[in-house]
Amino acid sequence: MIETSRRNFVLGLSALAVFPLQRAEPDLILYNGNFWTVDAKNPKARAVAISGGRFLAVGSNEEVLRLAAGGSRKIDLGMKTVTPGFIDAHTHPAMSGRLHLRRVDCDLRSIAAIQGALRERAAKTPPGDWVLGFKYDDTKTSEGRALNVKDLDDAVPDHPVSINHRGGHMDFVNTMAYKVAGVDKNTPDPSGGIFERDSSGQFTGRIIERAQGTFEKVIPNIFTRDDYREGVKLISKMMTKTGITSVGDALGSPEDLQAYQDARDSGDLPMRVYCFIAWNYIDRMIAAGVRTGLGDEWVRVGGMKQIADGAVSGRTARLSQPYIGHPNDYGTFSATEEELYEYGRKAYAAGWQLGTHANGDVAIERVLGVYERLNREIPRRDPRFRIEHCTLINDSIIQRMRALSVIPLPFSTYVYYHGEKMQYYGEERLKHMFALRTFLDAGLRPTQASDYPPGEFPAMMALHSEVTRTDLHGHVWGANQRVTLEEAIRIGTINGAYASYEENLKGSIQPGKLADLVVLGRDPFKEDPSTLVSIPVERTMTGGKWVYES
Ligand SMILES: [Zn+2]
């Protein structure tokens, strides 16, 4: 506090040159560390001085310890490795926090185990109230088939049930849920969505894309404003524990934005948030005069988010060639080019950055078409168009992305964690998926992006997956897209900062930048890549404060 007011005082006198920040007293000095700074001019350091939540100095032990004053705390790091805090540039923190508060975690290894968990929850739920689950993954259950309406009816006959798939783009419901939602045999599929039916016309229980809305509408939103804040608090703890100090919320609502602010005000926000606003709320935001960048270093309004196609883990991404073993299945679009353009134009003209979810090559081409058109119609100096996921690419996509310097946000942990889904895409196609090597070689700036809940978020798992391209079972997918450890760390730090226009504020350990860092239990540069995922995060610091200590 003292530092801030002094700095303001100094700035008020326009005397910054006379009293540079470096003259301030450090609150804290970390020394005897193995710092990987991600600062090209000063890549390695032994010590940092921190004041008012920012790095004051970065250098050798002698240089930095010399700055110590009476009130400076000093911590000997015992030569532990330190990196900048990791930035998960596309994830769903507020939403997943609330899901953890309310829903059954269905990340279980058999349908029987899921039924058991649902039964248990139903026993504690008043009859007629919804029993809800999330993180169900049809490729990770031992039965080798998808959950169906009968499984759910058997487990929970007296409550409506809806289980969200890990990929988010489909739900699995029971018979009572269809009744509550008013969906019957004669209900047509909505545009952009499917109530899946079997060959005899019976509902299977699977609800795809925009058809999910029919059920979402009738599930009461029981979350209070306190619950919203609690959800943020819970997920922030989970994430900072794994080395994450900043996130991009990829599909926020005004209520989410409020939840992040509430958590910050109550001291429960240990990570920074760049909050994208979903297209369906954009009118409210524009009417209020809000645009990208409003906020501060803790909670900032991000871009506008739209969705062009389905999910990789749910195998609904819109591809030019069909899924392996499903010759007629090319995935699904979630919006027309005109819809993407209309919302995109409105937001872009009002000063918003745009981020559009596109996994399949055909969907990416559609989004690029919209971005190219907007760039012609409304030229802007530094648009930083984002393609969220940008999973399956080809040469022409890369050329078009280069021309506009589009930012790709590919899944960081999918190869490692979701290896069993890769067979649906096939070895050949994997050479062009999550294409970090290609993006870097083209001069683009890909980020780290978990997309949690669909993907896992631990920062070390992201490094592991990106460096090894090896899944949990030891299978290598698309080895040509491997990046070096140094590149993976840049992707997870400075590139994430760039994706939110904050590269001068964070993403590296440099004087003047926010003091966000991670202390690791082992040095990843001395590690066999096959064990990167097991490196423990010992401490996480955001804004000069330890927010996690093991
Ligand atoms: Zn997402």
Side-chain angles (χ1 to χ4, degrees), residues 90-92 95 167 169 248-251 305 307 357 388-389 411 414 450-454:
H90 176 127
T91 177
H92 301 276
M95 185 263 280
H169 294 238
D249 184 317
L251 196 66
K305 167 77 175 299
I307 300 174
H357 162 128
E388 313 295 317
H389 316 317
F411 297 106
Y414 266 33
S450 72
D451 201 31
Y452 188 75

Side-chain angles (χ1 to χ4, degrees), residues 324-388:
I324 307 286
H326 301 262
N328 299 315
D329 185 2
Y330 293 81
T332 45
F333 281 120
S334 312
T336 66
E337 185 157 351
E338 269 316 294
E339 284 171 319
L340 296 174
Y341 169 74
E342 258 173 53
Y343 278 100
R345 182 179 168 97
K346 184 162 45 175
Y348 196 62
W352 288 71
Q353 182 186 22
L354 301 182
T356 311
H357 162 128
N359 276 306
D361 47 355
V362 189
I364 294 170
E365 284 161 359
R366 177 174 282 188
V367 173
L368 282 170
V370 171
Y371 287 172
E372 286 159 353
R373 191 170 161 194
L374 290 174
N375 186 57
R376 276 194 307 273
E377 293 173 358
I378 314 172
R380 190 195 283 182
R381 195 176 54 82
D382 191 10
R384 301 197 193 184
F385 291 112
R386 304 183 9 157
I387 297 185
E388 313 295 317

Side-chain angles (χ1 to χ4, degrees), residues 86 88 107 109 135 140 166 238-239 241-244 410-420 436 448-472 483 485 488-489 491-492 518 520 522 524 527 529-537:
F86 285 88
D88 186 346
D107 189 15
R109 295 297 166 262
K135 284 169 77 181
K140 288 192 193 291
R166 179 110 206 196
M238 293 166 67
M239 293 185 136
K241 207 176 161 177
T242 74
I244 293 167
F411 297 106
S412 310
T413 58
Y414 266 33
V415 168
Y416 175 75
Y417 194 76
H418 285 316
E420 56 291 270
L436 287 180
Q448 187 169 306
S450 72
D451 201 31
Y452 188 75
E456 292 289 306
F457 54 73
M460 293 304 114
M461 191 192 290
L463 301 184
H464 183 107
S465 191
E466 293 165 353
V467 170
T468 68
R469 296 283 295 199
T470 304
D471 71 17
L472 277 162
V483 295
L485 179 60
I489 292 175
I491 288 167
V518 181
L520 301 173
R522 303 197 304 267
E527 197 82 0
S530 67
T531 56
L532 282 171
V533 67
S534 68
I535 294 178
V537 169

